Amino acid sequence: TDAVFAVASDHEHTDAWVPKVRRVTLTKGGTPRNGFGATRRVEFRPTGWSTIDELVVHYEEGARFDYKVTAGMPGLRDHLGSIVVEPADGGARITWSVRFDFAWWWGPFAGTFKRTFAAALSEGLATLKDQLEAAG
């Protein structure tokens, strides 16, 4: 699980396993460097997706980190993303969940956005799985 968490929590290399991410820049280190209090800027590849800023709000070394969007997504009222890594069947299981709460005017777009974003998360997790299995 430590190796999986090391990759998942290495913000500046997220683009290596999440195809929809162009670049992540650590704008302020946390405790540890990628942990609690760290801020990052996420630039996406898809046309029309904005660049967002995020803050790591919870961090458990080797197990979990939670983050929230702090800028760059108009109409977002509340957000929480979580990456959890836990032992499973002699390996590791990673769960990436994201909660969005949008302003009322997002109504017509929210469903499509959530489905598109969920597909991007699934694609990232599949890519990470393939990379980790290939590395042994």
Side-chain angles (χ1 to χ4, degrees):
T1 59
D2 288 342
V4 174
F5 188 80
V7 173
S9 65
D10 183 3
H11 308 308
E12 293 169 304
H13 293 99
T14 302
D15 62 322
W17 60 277
V18 182
K20 298 294 188 264
V21 170
R22 176 177 293 129
R23 175 178 34 243
V24 176
T25 305
L26 191 67
T27 55
K28 178 184 161 221
T31 306
R33 182 173 188 272
N34 288 325
F36 179 77
T39 58
R40 60 190 187 174
R41 175 156 291 152
V42 182
E43 299 172 48
F44 294 98
R45 291 184 195 283
T47 303
W49 283 26
S50 66
T51 295
I52 59 173
D53 292 338
E54 297 176 332
L55 168 68
V56 177
V57 296
H58 179 82
Y59 185 87
E60 294 174 45
E61 180 67 46
R64 175 189 191 121
F65 73 92
D66 301 339
Y67 58 93
K68 65 179 186 173
V69 173
T70 58
M73 191 171 251
L76 183 67
R77 295 188 319 196
D78 191 28
H79 169 269
L80 184 67
S82 298
I83 292 183
V84 178
V85 179
E86 55 196 347
D89 300 324
R93 176 182 312 121
I94 184 168
T95 305
W96 191 359
S97 60
V98 181
R99 183 190 75 226
F100 294 97
D101 183 19
F102 295 103
W104 66 269
W105 53 268
W106 258 84
F109 313 104
T112 299
F113 173 80
K114 288 179 181 181
R115 283 188 299 279
T116 302
F117 200 81
L121 296 183
S122 294
E123 180 184 33
L125 290 173
T127 301
L128 179 60
K129 180 180 186 279
D130 291 346
Q131 289 175 357
L132 290 169
E133 287 177 347

